[in-house]
């Protein structure tokens, strides 16, 4: 009897956990932070300050430039949107100068255009930028977000004790659920715990959050992107098993189209993020984006890899010197044999493309009938390659060659 009660409680616990049915594939959208930071100077920089007009501009671009129709459907604020004081009822309120219509109206603007509205808050007393945090107001703030029509909440972890997060993040998740409004829940819980030497409780994180940050903030440079790629590769045995439909690792925003990445490096970020089953959250000025970068962000084949329904995060399966190979199992699957996306990455910087030969069986691609291989950036079809066959690619410095290896159907 006792055992039955316990089993029952465990099951109830699981149902009460996240289970919001959201983010079955990695979220896609636009997020303000990396590109627009905490620019609140609307007087001198009205075009770029964090305001309702910036968010509306981005929403308009998402629709008119075709991002929404490719799956990028969340438009999200980050830090620095609130007023410094709560209102007389203790509720969060946006800065009145920068968001004169209020956030309910901004959410409506998104919804009218088939987009979702994302917001940022912080579990602690203050956000990282020094605006009011949710501590002491969890229930009120969850309800306020629901009342505004928020669809996606990023909850940061500045100005909080990481030890409290094992209780605090699930508690806020419960309040979100209790509002009855489905909201994607993006957590920063593990990264703050790891940084303070606490081993995260992954079981609880997976049950609570739709995605979570587990490493440093991305910055506008290749060294930052490469550092994240290396961290994910070096720690993949701990990181990869946690990902799956409804719960994803978040290596941070796409910075493609900004100032710091070359064309090759931008293709690399998109390819590795696709294979890592990472959220695709663009942080870029969509009003001012060169065509070649837009083409990378809008590459349908890579988006399909990222959004693959198997929901398996890829791995670095080979590394020697500057050469790496990353694979991700994807559909179609034939009699248990999966297709794959393969990224060959050259982390070298010696100026000359590297010639890299791939033998599928040595990467675990052993389907006897072989694979039809297509380059996902150039569309070049390399024909059928058997497991013990080989292909040689020319891979540019800090660049990639990305191919899809599709099981040949009999
Ligand atoms: C932290 C987060 C970033 C961003 C800033 C905002 O550093 O990791 O993604 O939200 O706070 O202040």
């Amino acid at each position: 009897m006792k055992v039955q009660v316990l089993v029952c409680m465990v099951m109830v616990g699981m149902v009460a956990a996240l289970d919001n049915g959201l983010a079955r594939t990695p979220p896609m959208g636009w997020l303000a932070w990396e590109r627009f930071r905490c620019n609140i100077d609307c007087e001198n920089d009205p075009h770029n300050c964090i305001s309702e007009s910036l968010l509306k501009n981005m929403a308009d671009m998402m629709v008119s430039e075709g991002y929404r129709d490719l799956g990028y459907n969340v438009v999200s604020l980050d830090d620095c949107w609130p007023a410094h004081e709560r209102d007389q009822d203790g509720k969060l309120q946006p800065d009145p100068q920068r968001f004169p219509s209020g956030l309910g109206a901004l959410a409506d603007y998104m919804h009218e255009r088939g987009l979702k509205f994302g917001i940022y808050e912080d579990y602690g007393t203050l956000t990282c930028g020094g605006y009011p945090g949710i501590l002491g107001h969890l229930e009120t703030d969850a309800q306020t977000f629901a009342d505004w029509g928020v669809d996606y909440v990023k909850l940061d972890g500045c100005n909080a004790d990481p030890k409290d997060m094992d209780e605090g993040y699930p508690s806020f998740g419960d309040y979100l659920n209790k509002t009855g409004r489905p909201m994607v829940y993006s957590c920063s819980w593990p990264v703050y715990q790891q940084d303070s030497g606490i081993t995260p409780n992954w079981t609880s994180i997976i049950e609570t959050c739709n995605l979570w940050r587990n490493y440093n903030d991305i910055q506008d440079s290749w060294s930052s992107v490469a550092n994240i790629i290396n961290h994910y590769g070096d720690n993949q045995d701990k990181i990869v098993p946690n990902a799956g439909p409804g719960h994803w690792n978040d290596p941070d925003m796409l910075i493609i189209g900004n100032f710091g990445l070359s064309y090759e490096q931008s293709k690399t970020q998109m390819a590795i993020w696709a294979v890592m089953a990472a959220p695709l959250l663009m942080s870029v000025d969509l009003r001012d984006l060169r065509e070649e970068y837009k083409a990378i962000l809008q590459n349908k084949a890579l988006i399909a890899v990222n959004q693959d329904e198997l929901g398996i995060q890829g791995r670095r399966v080979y590394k020697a010197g500057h050469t790496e190979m990353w694979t991700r199992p994807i559909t179609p699957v034939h009699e248990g044999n999966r297709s794959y996306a393969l990224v060959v990455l050259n982390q070298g910087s010696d100026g000359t493309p590297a010639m890299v030969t791939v033998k599928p069986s040595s990467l675990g691609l052993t389907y006897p009938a072989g694979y039809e291989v297509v380059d996902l950036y150039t569309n070049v079809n390399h024909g059928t390659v058997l497991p013990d066959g080989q292909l040689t690619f020319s891979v540019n410095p800090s660049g990639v060659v990305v191919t899809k290896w599709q099981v040949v159907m009999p």
Side-chain angles (χ1 to χ4, degrees), residues 23 25-31 71-72 74 152 154 184-187 210-214 218 232 243-244 246-256 269-270 272-283 297 303 306-307 313 328:
T25 60
M28 294 174 64
W30 182 93
L31 179 58
Y72 292 98
V74 188
Y152 181 111
K154 169 177 172 180
V184 170
Y185 189 21
S186 163
C187 301
N210 292 115
L211 63 156
W212 52 82
R213 289 283 308 284
N214 49 7
I218 200 161
Y232 267 66
H247 47 96
W248 309 101
N249 294 296
D250 177 8
D252 216 358
M253 292 158 269
L254 293 172
I255 59 163
I256 295 161
Q269 194 192 17
M270 187 71 186
I272 296 283
W273 263 235
V275 160
M276 290 198 300
L280 299 180
L281 301 170
M282 308 178 285
S283 193
L297 291 165
I303 292 172
N306 176 267
Q307 297 287 301
Q313 180 168 344
R328 175 174 178 186

Side-chain angles (χ1 to χ4, degrees), residues 60-112:
D60 294 348
M61 297 305 291
M62 300 272 281
V63 176
S64 65
E65 298 297 307
Y67 295 94
R68 179 198 60 191
D69 294 343
L70 289 166
Y72 292 98
N73 62 6
V74 188
V75 180
S76 190
L77 286 167
D78 205 280
D79 207 344
C80 309
W81 63 264
H84 278 289
E85 304 299 332
R86 289 173 175 267
D87 71 10
Q88 69 269 27
D89 301 322
K91 290 186 187 163
L92 289 165
Q93 51 186 348
D95 179 279
Q97 263 80 50
R98 294 181 287 118
F99 297 90
S101 318
L103 293 195
L106 191 52
D108 288 347
Y109 190 90
M110 302 303 166
H111 298 154
E112 282 156 14

Side-chain angles (χ1 to χ4, degrees), residues 342-360:
L342 167 69
V343 179
V344 182
L345 165 62
N346 174 10
Q347 288 223 34
S349 57
D350 67 3
T352 297
M355 300 305 287
V356 180
T357 297
V358 174
K359 182 178 170 189

Side-chain angles (χ1 to χ4, degrees), residues 31 33-34 37-38 78-80 120-122 127-130 154 156-158 188 191-192 213 215-218 252-253:
L31 179 58
W33 182 254
E34 196 283 331
R37 303 286 165 157
C38 193
D78 205 280
D79 207 344
C80 309
Y120 163 101
E121 248 302 341
D122 186 288
T127 70
C128 301
K154 169 177 172 180
D156 210 343
C158 273
S188 300
V191 66
Y192 283 92
R213 289 283 308 284
Y215 195 52
N216 299 343
D217 285 6
I218 200 161
D252 216 358
M253 292 158 269

